[in-house]
Amino acid sequence: MNNEEYFEAKPKDNLKIANENLKSRLLVGTGKFANNQVMNKAIASSESQVVTMALRRIDFDSEQENVLNFIPKGCILLPNTSGARTADEAVRIAKIARAAGCGNWIKIEVIKDNKYLLPDNYETIKATEILAKDGFVVLPYMSPDLMVAKQLVEVGAAAVMPLGAPIGSNQGLQTKEMIRILINEISLPIIVDAGIGKPSQAAEAMELGAAAVLVNTAIATAKNPVLMAEAFRDAVKAGRTAYLAGPGATKDYADASSPLTGFLNNQSE
Amino acid sequence: MDFYRMSQQYDELNIERYLNSIDDQDVINAINKQHLNELDYLALLSPSADKYLEQMAKRARELTIQHFGRTIGLYTPLYLADYCVNQCAYCSFNSQQQFKRNKLTLQDLEKEAGAISKTGLKHILVLTGESRSKTPVSYIKECIVLLKKYFSSISIEIYPLDVEEYKELVDVGVDGLTIYQEVYNEEIYRQVHLKGPKKDYHYRLNAAERGCVAGMRSVNIGTLLGLGDFYSEAFYTGLHANYLQTKYIDVEVGVSLPRLRPFKGAFQPRTTVSDQQLVQMMLALRLYLPRVGINISTRETAKLRDAILPLGVTKMSAGVSTKVGGHSGNEEASNQFDISDERSVEEMMEMIYQNNYQPVLKDWHLFR
């Protein structure tokens, strides 16, 4: 079987969010790039199909500065509520985004803490409930907590987006054990959002069983964002493939290929 | 506990003696720490840190890109009026200065807003002299309502207000407050503020905090570099920013680093803050408070602003006029001070792009 035949034979492994079947499990952000042209190339190179951007930063009046004009065609827009400090503000931003033609996907970010940018889970649940009832596809960004994730499922979230580490920190999966619990216990896709700084960390999240990862700072602030986007694309694919392949169990002791007690079997022969 | 009482715990600290006790290892340790305390910050401000500016700059650049990306926010000041009842020794709007004072009518303001809006800027800083009778809060509110049609974010730099008054302005669409203490040293503050309500050191000092309480999304503070001892003023500015950032976690705290500029009058700065000191303060601030906004205005030369762009700055003013009606061609009004960098918004954007950064004209929108 050659490569092509193998991939054709491999069952489709799409990520389903709401009614969308996504081939790519890498979501990307649009902030912090040195210019919109580089951002455009990086998104293209990432092969991501879902692109998030802060509604507050979109300048609808300016052709040149409007970030929407630089998002590759065919991508699903995921406006986020960055800047919202309460559920009410997040809801207002979501509705403006929809009215402005950004579709009905929304990433909830309710952040009151400007020092560490940690989300307010309580307000996030409230906003998710209101917007889900209003027909939005709601992807809430949250501090990993099982009870909160369960509530988000109950109130109608389309996926749950726990942070791996504080936004922009590039510290990787600092919350790994909590994310592992969410992956095991929550039926919705778990998308690791924030903190991933290197492709290897994205691969780690995917090997763990995350449905997808969202990356912005690590790509936008790399020396070569376009190349870094490509690296993340490959890492996410590799991590996912490894997860599907089912890695062998980790053990605290060596499993010798010539077992110490092998002579017992030999004796019985 | 307000900032004044918090800062009193440092009254016992002899800053000059402490600075002299800082050695190279203290500086190196501070540069390499993840979370710096106040004394680490002071170590980075010290003369011993002079020879470590390059290492500080590298760290500052990394931290700034990590937290803010390769972006520089742009805004411009809009002067509503130059009437003032204070006698600040260092300011052209000093009530003793004889010149024809101006105040924008709403019609004038519309012209001014239209002219700025054409440049693409969405963020403005509205300024007045300190005259409650000529520019009462009610007048400022009317102006803000008009300006909201043109801009997505409006900050104010006006006389200090009570919490309720700040709230009134927040309610009509103001989202940012800039208020400089001018000088943290109380004795010097008394000496340079000769007459007028601005003499009240404590009312001014607590204004930033009142803005936070009133719901301002961003609060920007600063000391006017040159009025007091550089080290001490830089130290207390950092302490103040940290105090606000820690107590009001939902507020974006920013720091400006204005140096005294030529103006109408004969006041001579007590000290001259060199380019190196300005840069050192900016780098030390970035390492101490990685998420604080840092603003460098057109008081500085184009050459210096270009050079420090990658070192920690997050905001710059552009297309600046410091006179009432200056954006829509009023040539008769007086400047509050002379600016150094006279580049247009377009020229600033070009420079920022040339440096591989992105000028951000719209970073915030108050959705109501």
Side-chain angles (χ1 to χ4, degrees):
Chain A
M1 188 183 276
N2 64 27
N3 269 355
E4 213 166 290
E5 285 165 346
Y6 167 75
F7 281 113
E8 277 185 9
K10 198 173 132 184
K12 281 201 173 63
D13 176 42
N14 290 344
L15 166 62
K16 192 166 185 203
I17 299 178
N19 291 322
E20 293 288 345
N21 275 303
L22 305 169
K23 284 183 194 157
S24 165
R25 291 173 177 271
L26 172 62
L27 286 67
V28 294
T30 52
K32 300 187 178 178
F33 283 92
N35 62 62
N36 287 335
Q37 288 76 13
V38 170
M39 182 198 79
N40 170 280
K41 285 184 190 158
I43 297 173
S45 154
S46 75
E47 293 179 12
S48 175
Q49 294 168 282
V50 180
V51 179
T52 187
M53 68 279 165
L55 185 73
R56 68 186 174 119
R57 294 207 169 114
I58 300 175
D59 188 346
F60 292 100
D61 301 335
S62 169
E63 183 81 9
Q64 181 89 36
E65 304 301 318
N66 184 349
V67 69
L68 293 176
N69 296 336
F70 296 86
I71 294 175
K73 296 272 178 290
C75 286
I76 294 174
L77 299 180
L78 178 59
N80 66 57
T81 64
S82 158
R85 295 188 295 189
T86 63
D88 282 352
E89 286 180 349
V91 168
R92 208 173 298 138
I93 293 171
K95 288 182 176 175
I96 291 170
R98 186 165 64 181
C102 296
N104 70 336
W105 284 42
I106 189 79
K107 179 184 158 194
I108 303 294
E109 277 188 45
V110 182
I111 295 173
K112 286 179 186 165
D113 157 38
N114 261 306
K115 204 167 176 182
Y116 301 102
L117 300 178
L118 294 172
D120 181 328
N121 280 347
Y122 175 66
E123 294 289 315
T124 301
I125 295 167
K126 285 203 289 184
T128 301
E129 179 165 24
I130 295 166
L131 292 169
K133 277 184 186 159
D134 197 10
F136 280 90
V137 174
V138 186
L139 285 77
Y141 167 60
M142 49 94 78
S143 281
D145 177 292
L146 181 57
M147 293 309 127
V148 173
K150 285 189 172 197
Q151 283 179 277
L152 289 169
V153 175
E154 272 174 35
V155 300
V160 175
M161 304 179 84
L163 60 90
I167 293 178
S169 66
N170 291 345
Q171 288 173 15
L173 294 182
Q174 296 296 321
T175 60
K176 188 172 176 179
E177 287 314 306
M178 296 299 115
I179 288 176
R180 191 198 303 275
I181 292 170
L182 297 192
I183 290 169
N184 289 340
E185 302 301 323
I186 300 295
S187 54
L188 291 176
I190 300 298
I191 302 171
V192 178
D193 181 3
I196 290 180
K198 293 179 190 147
S200 56
Q201 294 162 349
E204 186 185 4
M206 298 308 296
E207 285 170 9
L208 197 64
V213 295
L214 192 152
V215 181
N216 184 181
T217 302
I219 294 175
T221 67
K223 264 189 196 157
N224 185 332
V226 180
L227 205 55
M228 188 58 86
E230 195 181 312
F232 269 101
R233 176 198 68 195
D234 293 346
V236 168
K237 280 184 190 172
R240 178 65 184 175
T241 307
Y243 172 74
L244 294 175
T250 52
K251 295 173 186 172
D252 288 339
Y253 50 89
D255 202 356
S257 47
S258 302
L260 296 174
T261 54
F263 68 94
L264 294 174
N265 297 332
N266 295 339
Q267 276 177 347
S268 66
E269 279 170 14
Chain B
M1 193 198 300
D2 65 7
F3 172 64
Y4 184 70
R5 285 177 58 200
M6 191 285 271
S7 66
Q8 277 178 320
Q9 63 184 295
Y10 294 97
D11 285 356
E12 299 292 308
L13 178 70
N14 181 324
I15 289 182
E16 195 180 337
R17 199 186 308 154
Y18 186 81
L19 287 171
N20 288 330
S21 75
I22 299 288
D23 60 23
D24 287 15
Q25 198 54 50
D26 294 323
V27 177
I28 293 166
N29 289 346
I31 294 173
N32 292 307
K33 269 177 90 168
Q34 265 223 307
H35 299 285
L36 280 68
N37 62 30
E38 289 77 4
L39 295 180
D40 296 320
Y41 173 54
L42 199 46
L44 296 180
L45 290 170
S46 72
S48 293
D50 279 3
K51 49 185 176 297
Y52 294 98
L53 283 190
E54 187 58 28
Q55 283 97 317
M56 287 168 66
K58 283 180 181 154
R59 183 89 185 105
R61 184 176 59 183
E62 279 170 14
L63 285 169
T64 310
I65 291 176
Q66 181 186 338
H67 291 289
F68 298 90
R70 293 183 178 276
T71 65
I72 299 287
L74 291 181
Y75 70 97
T76 206
L78 190 166
Y79 282 73
L80 296 181
D82 51 19
Y83 288 94
C84 192
V85 295
N86 289 312
Q87 290 180 28
C88 305
Y90 50 83
C91 179
S92 299
F93 288 177
N94 183 325
S95 61
Q96 296 298 293
Q97 294 289 346
Q98 298 299 317
F99 65 93
K100 184 178 173 295
R101 305 267 170 171
N102 290 277
K103 172 182 164 181
L104 296 181
T105 63
L106 290 181
Q107 272 177 331
D108 298 334
L109 182 62
E110 190 117 39
K111 273 192 220 157
E112 201 63 355
I116 296 171
S117 181
K118 274 189 194 148
T119 67
L121 288 176
K122 296 281 183 185
H123 290 211
I124 52 162
L125 175 64
V126 170
L127 295 97
T128 61
E130 186 156 343
S131 171
R132 273 184 176 267
S133 59
K134 294 284 185 188
T135 50
V137 173
S138 55
Y139 163 76
I140 297 168
K141 272 168 71 177
E142 281 182 306
C143 294
I144 301 299
V145 171
L146 187 153
L147 291 169
K148 281 304 291 179
K149 290 193 291 183
Y150 293 89
F151 303 105
S152 68
S153 170
I154 302 174
S155 296
I156 49 166
E157 186 176 344
I158 61 171
Y159 48 89
L161 302 178
D162 293 338
V163 172
E164 284 310 312
E165 292 172 314
Y166 280 136
K167 271 188 186 159
E168 282 183 49
L169 293 177
V170 168
D171 287 344
V172 292
V174 168
D175 57 73
L177 168 67
T178 288
I179 185 123
Y180 299 152
Q181 183 57 22
E182 318 290 18
V183 56
Y184 284 89
N185 181 299
E186 264 186 280
E187 181 52 35
I188 299 172
Y189 188 93
R190 248 193 308 277
Q191 290 166 13
V192 296
H193 297 106
L194 308 170
K195 264 191 178 171
K198 197 167 172 178
K199 280 191 76 67
D200 189 339
Y201 176 90
H202 292 273
Y203 188 67
R204 190 164 188 92
L205 188 67
N206 287 326
E209 180 156 15
R210 290 197 299 277
C212 295
V213 173
M216 293 284 177
R217 286 185 175 268
S218 63
V219 169
N220 194 47
I221 60 167
T223 183
L224 191 45
L225 294 165
L227 286 181
D229 168 65
F230 167 74
Y231 298 104
S232 160
E233 289 298 313
F235 180 58
Y236 282 99
T237 305
L239 284 187
H240 196 180
N242 183 48
Y243 167 83
L244 295 171
Q245 195 179 56
T246 305
K247 189 165 177 183
Y248 300 96
I249 58 171
D250 56 343
V251 177
E252 270 183 40
V253 176
V255 178
S256 293
L257 288 80
R259 285 194 288 189
L260 267 169
R261 291 284 306 149
F263 71 108
K264 289 181 197 304
F267 179 79
Q268 286 300 311
R270 184 176 303 258
T271 55
T272 303
V273 174
S274 66
D275 287 356
Q276 178 162 328
Q277 284 177 314
L278 182 83
V279 169
Q280 187 172 349
M281 179 178 172
M282 187 177 83
L283 301 177
L285 259 177
R286 173 55 67 234
L287 268 62
Y288 174 43
L289 302 171
R291 279 207 47 82
V292 87
I294 295 181
N295 187 349
I296 298 288
S297 77
T298 51
R299 287 169 183 266
E300 303 303 335
T301 62
K303 196 175 162 198
L304 182 69
R305 295 219 301 169
D306 293 6
I308 62 179
L309 185 135
L311 303 186
V313 182
T314 58
K315 271 187 189 171
M316 286 184 168
S317 46
V320 170
S321 165
T322 67
K323 60 170 86 169
V324 178
H327 293 281
S328 47
N330 181 0
E331 294 304 322
E332 288 175 15
S334 290
N335 288 320
Q336 186 187 21
F337 56 85
D338 293 341
I339 61 172
S340 293
D341 185 350
E342 298 185 341
R343 283 175 292 184
S344 66
V345 175
E346 203 174 333
E347 287 168 327
M348 279 298 289
M349 287 175 66
E350 184 55 33
M351 178 280 283
I352 292 168
Y353 278 129
Q354 291 293 330
N355 279 278
N356 200 27
Y357 275 68
Q358 178 167 201
V360 174
L361 304 185
K362 181 173 185 276
D363 185 42
W364 178 245
H365 195 122
L366 194 61
F367 297 103
R368 288 182 180 278

